[in-house]
Amino acid sequence: MGKVPSQKDLFEVSGPTYLTYVNWNCPHHQRSAMASLVQGVYVLERDRQRNRQGPDARAPAWWKFFHFELRQALVDAADSSIFGAVYAFQPPYHLMDPAAAASAPHYVVAFRGTVTKKASASRDLELDLLLVRSGIEHTSRFRVAMQTIHDVARHGRVWLAGHSLGSAISTLAGKTMARAGVVLTTFLFNAPFLSAPVERIPHKKVKQGIRIAKSFVTAGVATVLHKGGGSGDEAFAALARWVPNVLVNPADPISAEYVGYFDHRKKMEDIGAGAVGRLATRHSVKDLLLGIGKPGGCEPLHLFPSAVLTVNRGPSPDFKSAHGIHQWWRPDLALECRAYSYA
């Protein structure tokens, strides 16, 4: 018998079909729609690889359900893979609740993560390695993404969304736009936190001890390398108006450390080490060392001052379920949500 085709790309099988309409003022609806639009990019690339066209294409259902149309597929010149998409909101003439659609984005720019199929795996894994080395901003993929966002932002309200590697692109784009004075609503699903996954240690006091020690080491290295001055703090604090929605799963070793990153700031204040905590929260030892000899140093992509952190506390039996995009539109999620700001 032949292998049964995967059903995960079929919206009617795997998507949030339980949503009878989308209230764009509802965080659950926003999260489900944005995750589905990111999934649309994944399926676009799989449609391309499997030559699914016309009525056989599976991707369109992922955006048409939410009244979007595909305006542009973003293609990586290195391997011709589709890594992103620009969607335009096209509400129906007769809305069930016009007020619920009033705050919808005019455009969404979405980015997928790594696809492990042969046709795109080599390029995606190359970018994953560059991400570890903090070099993604110099890639053609990011340049295409940034130019597209600049172009689209001139025409209306733009939201960004990304998953995994796509979250890294969205993070860097969101930071870049915020520094230019344009604050974009952003959804970062399972964004990579480039650090040891301390959050996965089961003992709370051990976790706290490691994080406190790590903060003192990071602050010490930053001081030695003269990165503790006021200008660095001002540049970090200048991003505070950008408040991305960061969605993580503590069972996901790639994104889990965001859970502790934000909580740890308060812990450092509580023990009287707030200055050390504030210095450490905007630096990583890896990026400090990589930045030696470089003008302006090397900014850690994964660190930012403010966020709305959503944590999925539901059971995740394996890495695939903990890191996958599909978890974020399920109706039965056990979520914790908290807003953080940088003072």
Side-chain angles (χ1 to χ4, degrees):
M1 293 179 64
K3 185 178 179 181
V4 177
S6 171
Q7 301 293 293
K8 68 179 181 179
D9 288 350
L10 293 172
F11 182 85
E12 61 268 28
V13 174
S14 301
T17 54
Y18 58 87
L19 290 175
T20 56
Y21 80 106
V22 178
N23 180 351
W24 286 97
N25 298 309
C26 172
H28 169 61
H29 288 198
Q30 292 178 3
R31 183 187 70 250
S32 299
M34 298 300 281
S36 295
L37 294 178
V38 173
Q39 174 68 356
V41 185
Y42 277 107
V43 184
L44 268 172
E45 171 57 15
R46 286 192 282 265
D47 279 350
R48 182 192 73 86
Q49 292 186 17
R50 296 166 186 173
N51 199 29
R52 297 191 299 231
Q53 302 179 31
D56 294 326
R58 298 182 175 184
W62 289 94
W63 58 79
K64 288 183 177 179
F65 183 85
F66 300 98
H67 305 297
F68 283 88
E69 66 176 27
L70 179 66
R71 285 291 177 87
Q72 181 182 357
L74 305 184
V75 178
D76 192 322
D79 64 354
S80 299
S81 66
I82 297 171
F83 71 90
V86 179
Y87 302 106
F89 187 51
Q90 300 292 322
Y93 289 112
H94 302 290
L95 289 171
M96 183 181 299
D97 184 358
S103 57
H106 300 138
Y107 299 94
V108 172
V109 185
F111 305 99
R112 65 165 175 84
T114 302
V115 172
T116 56
K117 300 299 181 183
K118 185 177 180 180
S120 56
S122 177
R123 175 60 168 166
D124 286 353
L125 292 174
E126 175 192 354
L127 292 171
D128 288 334
L129 292 174
L130 283 172
L131 176 60
V132 173
R133 294 165 49 199
S134 301
I136 197 171
E137 67 270 23
H138 303 300
T139 65
S140 60
R141 185 176 291 194
F142 178 71
R143 287 194 292 271
V144 169
M146 202 66 242
Q147 184 61 57
T148 300
I149 292 167
H150 273 298
D151 292 344
V152 175
R154 292 199 293 263
H155 301 291
R157 186 165 56 245
V158 178
W159 289 12
L160 302 180
H163 174 248
S164 195
L165 174 61
S167 278
I169 294 174
S170 297
T171 299
L172 187 53
K175 282 184 170 184
T176 303
M177 294 298 286
R179 289 198 172 104
V182 181
V183 177
L184 303 179
T185 299
T186 306
F187 288 78
L188 306 175
F189 298 98
N190 300 89
F193 192 103
L194 305 176
S195 176
V198 179
E199 183 60 29
R200 301 201 68 196
I201 297 173
H203 303 290
K204 184 176 180 180
K205 289 186 177 180
V206 174
K207 283 194 291 190
Q208 288 180 347
I210 291 174
R211 288 197 174 108
I212 291 170
K214 183 180 174 184
S215 289
F216 277 96
V217 170
T218 302
V221 173
T223 301
V224 169
L225 296 177
H226 307 291
K227 299 293 183 181
S231 61
D233 186 58
E234 290 170 6
F236 190 72
L239 291 172
R241 289 178 57 239
W242 178 60
V243 187
N245 296 278
V246 181
L247 301 102
V248 304
N249 188 316
D252 172 23
I254 291 176
S255 65
E257 195 55 23
Y258 275 113
V259 178
Y261 169 68
F262 290 105
D263 276 338
H264 182 60
R265 293 180 188 171
K266 184 176 185 304
K267 181 63 178 178
M268 293 298 285
E269 294 284 352
D270 291 344
I271 66 172
V276 171
R278 286 189 293 276
L279 181 55
T281 199
R282 66 178 194 265
H283 291 294
S284 76
V285 172
K286 173 184 72 70
D287 290 285
L288 285 167
L289 298 178
L290 286 172
I292 294 175
K294 296 181 180 179
C298 188
E299 180 188 352
L301 171 67
H302 58 289
L303 306 184
F304 36 81
S306 305
V308 175
L309 181 68
T310 300
V311 182
N312 180 10
R313 295 289 185 184
S316 299
D318 52 35
F319 170 77
K320 194 172 183 179
S321 59
H323 188 66
I325 189 69
H326 289 74
Q327 65 186 296
W328 296 111
W329 59 71
R330 287 177 50 187
D332 57 346
L333 292 177
L335 299 179
E336 294 178 1
C337 188
R338 184 174 176 183
Y340 295 88
S341 59
Y342 183 74

